Structures are given as C-alpha cells and as structure tokens.
Amino acid sequence: MKQTIRIWAVMVWLLVWQVGAMALDQQILLVSPVRVLVRLAELSGTAAFWQAIAASFLRITAGFLLGVTVGTVLAVLSARYRLVEELLAPALLAVRSVPVASFVILALILFSSRTLATLISFLIVLPILYSGVLCGIRAADAELLEMAQVFRIPSVRRIRYLYVPEVFPFFESACGSALGLCWKSGIAAEVIGMPQGSIGEQLQQAKVYLDTPDLFAWTLVIVLVSLVFERMFAAGLRWCAARLERI
C-alpha cells in the first residue's frame, strides 16, 4: 500500500531535528537542517558536485537496468525450461544471502572500483526481478493459455495479450522494491570502493574529516536523486500500463 508523505509531518520531523541540534549544540555530532541546506546550496555551485551526481547516477542506473533486463530474460527461460530454474536456484540463493559488504570486497579484488557500483546494483536487482517476473508468468490464466493452444494462436500474440498483462503488475512491484535497495547498495559500494568523482567518495571524505554538514548534505542528495529516479521510472511504467490497457 502506497503511503502519501504529508508536508506537515515532514515539517514536524524537521522541527524535532532542529530542536535536537540546538539542544545538543555540537555541530560535529548533529548539524541543524538549516546548516545542511546552506551547505547543500554551497556545494551545488561547484562543478564537482554535479559531476559526482552524474557519475553515481549513471553507474547505479546502468546496474539497475542491467539487472531488470537479465532478471526478466532468466525468468522467461526458467518458466520455459525447468532445468534452467534448477541451475539458477543455488546461484540466486547465494546472491540473496551473501551480505553486500562481502560482495563489495570480493568484487574489489577482481574488478575496478569504477564498475563496482554497477556490479553491486545489478546483483541486488537481479534476484528481485527474476522472482517477480517468474511469479507473474506462472500466474497467467491456465484456461486462457489452453484455449490459445487449441486455437493455435501465434506465440507473439500469446505473449502480447495473455502473458504481458498478467506479468506487468508483478514486474512493476518488483521494480519498486528493487529501486530503493539498488541505490542503497550502489552508494554503499562507492563508499567502500571510493571511485574518484562519485557520491560515495564524497561521503567517505566527509567521514574521514568529520565534516558533518557535508555528510548530511550528501545524504540528502542521495535521497533526492533516488526519489527523482524512482518517480521517473514509475511514470514510464504508468505510461506502459496505459498502453496495455488500450490494447
């Protein structure tokens, strides 16, 4: 169930944050929201700020889209061939079970830190999309599929009119679940790998130098960028859903 964020609720929590910062009066521990916004405005006036956002956005988005594509293709193959599903089961279980930090450390040994965020985002998204699409395919109406087989309806039309409308809600739900995890894991990978000119590098530098305003400002940037990407992707999915309804 989708929850609506109310402005008054946000203002209440910002007020609590401001009061807490004033009561503690230790900027190195808790900086006020006003100071964070001021620092964010200062950072936004530099080219390095936008370059870091663009670099991280491209890496994580690439990992997400790759995970969506590969997860969907593997789900289709698993639905068609039982052997493929059995072959993939141990690997996908390992991907779900192994902590992100372990993947990051192992990946750093084998790959460049520049591709780390893409790889980790891909690994996080892959099993979620695979499971969602596979469930959607298997939820298709068996009677309709049998009727399509009896009347020898071409495979392309079966996919378009029977499978796609059934799978799409599962696909949409899986994408929604994967988006947040994708950004969290991608930024975590950047913090550990520290690729030059990335949001993760900026967070790590802020931690090393105990620069709390920068730490909070970059955290706010991550939230805003991930939210914008999520809204853009959701809008694209809604457009696709509208097209399916017309069909």
Side-chain angles (χ1 to χ4, degrees), residues 24-31 210 212 216:
L24 190 59
D25 196 23
Q26 293 288 336
Q27 193 175 91
I28 198 172
L29 298 177
L30 182 62
V31 66
L210 298 177
T212 310
F216 275 82

Side-chain angles (χ1 to χ4, degrees), residues 146-166:
E146 185 177 351
M147 181 188 70
Q149 187 173 6
V150 170
F151 287 97
R152 297 181 180 178
I153 295 175
S155 299
V156 174
R157 293 199 173 194
R158 292 187 203 180
I159 294 171
R160 181 176 178 181
Y161 295 107
L162 298 180
Y163 282 108
V164 172
E166 190 69 48

Side-chain angles (χ1 to χ4, degrees), residues 169-183:
F170 290 85
F171 176 81
E172 186 177 18
S173 177
C175 286
S177 301
L179 272 169
L181 293 174
C182 172
W183 272 92

Side-chain angles (χ1 to χ4, degrees), residues 27-41:
Q27 193 175 91
I28 198 172
L29 298 177
L30 182 62
V31 66
S32 70
V34 175
R35 180 71 185 98
V36 172
L37 292 176
V38 170
R39 182 55 183 154
L40 182 59

